Amino acid sequence: AMSSNPAQYVLNGVYVHAADEQLVAVALDMNRLVRATEKLPHGAEQMPSIILAAKSVVLLRTTLRNCDDGAAA
């Protein structure tokens, strides 16, 4: 749900933070608000809240997808 419209630069990213023993990621695109949670990894209790820029998210998705493809081969 991350916006890709450069005119809406405030919405171009994903907010990631730790809460209640969970890693929480939130993104929106003027139409949808998406919240995803995972169990907080060990040692991440003091992780600061961050906003990942849209370009970083795209690069991370591509890298992780390539890692998954390599592991399956």
Side-chain angles (χ1 to χ4, degrees):
M2 182 178 60
S3 177
S4 59
N5 182 347
Q8 298 171 337
Y9 65 92
V10 175
L11 304 177
N12 291 341
V14 177
Y15 175 61
V16 181
H17 67 283
D20 300 324
E21 298 182 19
Q22 292 185 322
L23 185 62
V24 182
V26 179
L28 70 139
D29 70 357
M30 297 306 291
N31 295 312
R32 296 170 291 186
L33 174 65
V34 176
R35 180 178 178 260
T37 60
E38 280 290 327
K39 183 179 176 187
L40 190 65
H42 178 70
E45 295 81 11
Q46 300 301 318
M47 182 187 95
S49 299
I50 60 171
I51 297 174
L52 294 171
K55 289 183 180 182
S56 299
V57 173
V58 171
L59 180 61
L60 182 60
R61 286 180 63 193
T62 302
T63 301
L64 292 173
R65 187 174 297 128
N66 290 342
C67 288
D68 286 345
D69 291 345

